[in-house]
Amino acid sequence: MKYEAVIGLEVHAQMLTETKIFCGCSTKFGSEPNTQTCPICIGMPGVLPVLNKKALEFAIRTGLATNCKISNYSRFARKNYFYPDLPKGYQISQYELPICEHGFLEIVVDGEVKKIGITRIHMEEDAGKNIHEGGGNYSFVDLNRTGVPLMEIVSEPDIRSPKEAAEYMKKLRTILRYLGVCDGNMEQGSLRCDANVSIRPVGQKELGTRAEVKNINSFKFVEKALEYEIKRQIKVIEEGGKIIQETRLWDSDRGITESMRSKEEAHDYRYFPEPDLVPMTVEQKWIDEIKSSLPELPDVKRERFVAEFGLPEYDADLLTSEKSIANWFEGAVKAGGQAKAVSNWMMGELMKLLNEENKTFEECALKPAQLAEMLSLMDKGTISGKIAKTIFEEMYKTGKDADVIVKEKGLVQVSDEGAIEKAVDEIIAKNPKEVERYKSGDEKLLGFFVGQVMKAMKGKANPQILNEILKKKLS
Amino acid sequence: MDLYKLGISEAKKLLDKKEVSAQELLDSIYKRIDTVEDRVKAFITLPKEKAYAMAEASRQAIDAGKPSSLSGIPIAIKDNMCTKGIRTTCSSKILSNFIPPYESTVTSKLGAQGYILIGKTNLDEFAMGSSTENSGFFTTKNPWDLERIPGGSSGGSAAAVAADECIAALGSDTGGSIRQPASLCGVVGLKPTYGRVSRFGLVAFASSLDQIGTITKNVKDSAILMNIISGKDPFDSTSAPVAVPDFAKNLGQDIKGLKIGIPKEYFIRGMDKEIEKSARDAVKKLESLGAIPVEISLPHTEYAVATYYVLATSEASSNLARYDGVKYGFRAEGKDLMDMYMNTRAQGFGAEVKRRIMLGTFTLSSGYYDAYYKKGQQARTLIKQDFETAFNQVDVIATPTSPTAAFKAGEKSSDPLQMYLSDIFTISVNLAGIPGISIPCGFTSNNLPIGLQIIGKHFDEETILKVSYAYEQSTEWHKRKPNL
């Protein structure tokens, strides 16, 4: 029998606010344990939460960018459970009346556009971290992360394959990064993904029993964890077993999912409206303001790059995968660079150099205008394409402009026919055998002569003129 | 002169004119405490050193000719409001060693006005109770009859004011916890509108009902304190951005033509005859001052107690989850985490607190939420609407504060339902979020105080204070003192 998977994703995204969601503590990552806490976020008796308006704004931004309806009336709720990293014994989250609902994202899988519904986006506070160190009969609790604002973005069960899930995650991450609301770092835990997975025979309407897979803590595991879980469920069914509703943990070392708790052991969170926070009434005017301040989103930008700059889809896709890359590209084009040439240099040399240093475009010292200037030197014939590669690397390393490097290193292209002719003559004289072979029809040897002359002229010969002269002399 | 007997405005006059120093007043209060506290047992903590340091600061302000509105006035604070560096226990074993590293908004406002923290007063554990018998430490006695309870949960504050162990006090009121003990101790107790006073630093019992208020020797002192503690607080989202009037200004205005609602559901057959008579006499007195009594109906009154015990316990079950032994307060040993949690909470909480946590956990549970919590919220809306409708016809509502005068210690403590009915007249006011005040309106045949409750519209504390003041000025009840 053939089966299809039904997948819904719950994504937790840490918001990039400066301070926590209900107090003034810093959200900086990686500080000494319990140095970014106050009576409010550690839940001392008598303290009260006050909503960070920036967190609300970020959630609204995300909702607008994912085609959601923004609720004019929304409220927080308490999710009650005991855990040492949860100092109040409840998490302030949203339950009924989340801030955003009924949105969608479009992904492209195997050339087909597919819409994935977004059920809701709600705000909540992050919990702290339990640290099991020292080997004793105890654990440590670090509450720095307690109260860092999170968005939970819940998809509809519209995803049908691990690949679609990966594409959805990629798309969502790109949008969050475009909006500047989350850095999307799964390894550091600022973006987390839980998946609800079930299978059913192809053609069947009813949903199968689902399992929730937690702890998918890296981008590359999204597909792997889901593939494993789908295979596991198919095996269970085919062996005559039943899927039980449960929570399973992804173990990336072993590449498997393992049962964590069954439905019977599931928590009763006893949600109820948070009485310490008044319901939020969001004015349409503010929503409109936020909407008008949204950046151009990746899909729109990609289409524009194709239409406006005549770029191939592939180039446009890559250049719009990060806002910083797209901005760099547009900067270079604005400074006079020809679009496809800029794209080629960025996707080739520049990305290679950045990757070598593990740097992003935001950290790139080379300015877009510098590439544009180098390209114009090529157009004018001042430098050859071959030299340009050297110059580009030098620009990248030193931050100097192309014309400065050309001058300093004497890299101006030689277009003087006399000088080239002289060099050609010397090479022809030195290689009589090759000349013989060329003349008897081995025209591939032209490249050999070009290379030899270039070598003699330290690569500075104008290749066009060199070609012409060589062909004339050899014929 | 017995300085300890003074109220705020009288004491302030003497202090500002330098006829009495802040130290002298404090000496007098401490002497009084030394004399009566053994019997009354109003205080959990008496930070004497700190109090004298605050008195010295007040003296300097007064000497410099810059007295603030409470410079040198010793005020008692219910021990569920956080005071930086001073133990705040909520009368619970689980917080018996808790020293807050921060100050509640109300006490920092009082501090900015130069008050002296005389002590932290006893209460029913986590403010859950009507007699202080649920205190994790000891029961406070009613100064009028030491065999009787002072009411609760702010019983320590009410008894301290009645026994002249302070000039005034703050309490908190979730279902009657200021008004009922004020009534039973013969003092003035005001529960403001929900949102009028910041709850920041008040250890939560039921967040949507809790409100800090005043317990004073007279109505004017209540107005003086309200002027200081009211107002929007950036640290409490539920505090309301409503302008704060000068509550003392309108005192003394006449109440001619003012309509006073008398809810028929609060004067029922079989109620305590002395209580009923005192309340009716008080209404007659108000009528003689020009007010017009109007019979009204608050038809959903009978659901108030049940509604309250669903909603308040639900919120409490969540609010008290943080006392888990992990971060602060009492921790019991245990063989693993779950065991430590269970031992800590089993040993740290008293019986009534555990009862309410269990009730609230149940009412919020999946499958029961709709039948209890949700239904409770709907009933709450109906009760609120009762008052809205009534206030279309009348300006204030008058009722007895408590169905009985002070009862004997142990009389109701074995029957929680009987105890819960002590708040039958006060609970609706919390559910509706409106202000209510209790003022002395008589005595029983065995010399126990009786209180009259006056209920006002949202954010209209001004009117209930005005009515209370008019009544107080034409009667002598508030001048009687217990014989200690």
Side-chain angles (χ1 to χ4, degrees), chain A residues 438 442-454 466-467 470 474:
Chain A
Y438 181 84
D442 193 355
E443 292 190 0
K444 275 188 284 179
L445 273 171
L446 186 67
F448 165 75
F449 290 109
V450 170
Q452 290 296 308
V453 177
M454 276 293 189
L466 170 59
N467 259 339
L470 254 179
L474 288 170

Side-chain angles (χ1 to χ4, degrees), chain B residues 21-204:
Chain B
S21 75
Q23 279 84 352
E24 283 169 324
L25 178 57
L26 189 55
D27 286 342
S28 168
I29 295 277
Y30 264 115
K31 218 175 140 203
R32 175 70 174 172
I33 290 172
D34 287 343
T35 316
V36 304
E37 177 61 9
D38 284 2
R39 284 170 284 155
V40 178
K41 296 165 90 76
F43 290 98
I44 293 171
T45 303
L46 286 162
K48 201 165 178 176
E49 219 171 287
K50 165 119 189 184
Y52 274 97
M54 288 169 109
E56 174 56 21
S58 289
R59 185 192 61 79
Q60 287 174 16
I62 293 167
D63 283 355
K66 288 177 192 155
S68 302
S69 44
L70 294 176
S71 289
I73 307 290
I75 293 176
I77 303 294
K78 187 178 182 181
D79 206 23
N80 61 351
M81 294 172 223
C82 288
T83 42
K84 190 174 176 177
I86 293 170
R87 194 165 71 120
T88 299
T89 67
C90 287
S91 285
S92 180
K93 190 180 172 192
I94 215 153
L95 283 177
S96 52
N97 60 1
F98 178 64
I99 296 174
Y102 51 94
E103 189 79 25
S104 70
T105 296
V106 281
T107 51
S108 49
K109 282 182 164 185
L110 294 180
Q113 293 302 324
Y115 94 125
I116 294 169
L117 172 62
I118 188 76
K120 304 293 295 281
T121 57
N122 194 26
L123 61 149
D124 290 291
E125 186 178 5
F126 284 102
M128 297 176 182
S130 309
S131 67
T132 73
E133 288 167 294
N134 296 330
S135 166
F137 306 135
F138 51 82
T139 301
T140 298
K141 309 291 192 250
N142 191 314
W144 294 89
D145 178 348
L146 295 169
E147 285 184 8
R148 290 173 192 269
I149 54 84
S153 66
S154 310
S157 283
V161 172
D164 288 321
E165 296 182 89
C166 58
I167 300 296
L170 291 189
S172 70
D173 189 317
T174 306
S177 280
I178 286 174
R179 290 159 290 157
Q180 184 256 14
S183 167
L184 269 46
C185 290
V187 293
V188 176
L190 172 67
K191 182 208 91 83
T193 309
Y194 184 79
R196 176 63 99 184
V197 178
S198 168
R199 292 186 294 117
F200 185 82
L202 169 69
V203 181

Side-chain angles (χ1 to χ4, degrees), chain A residues 43-46 78 80 87 268 276, chain B residues 102 201 318-319 322 327-328 366:
Chain A
M44 285 214 159
R78 290 188 188 175
N80 296 285
D268 178 355
D276 285 333
Chain B
Y102 51 94
S318 174
N319 282 332
R322 69 189 61 195
K327 308 156 295 278
Y328 49 74
S366 151

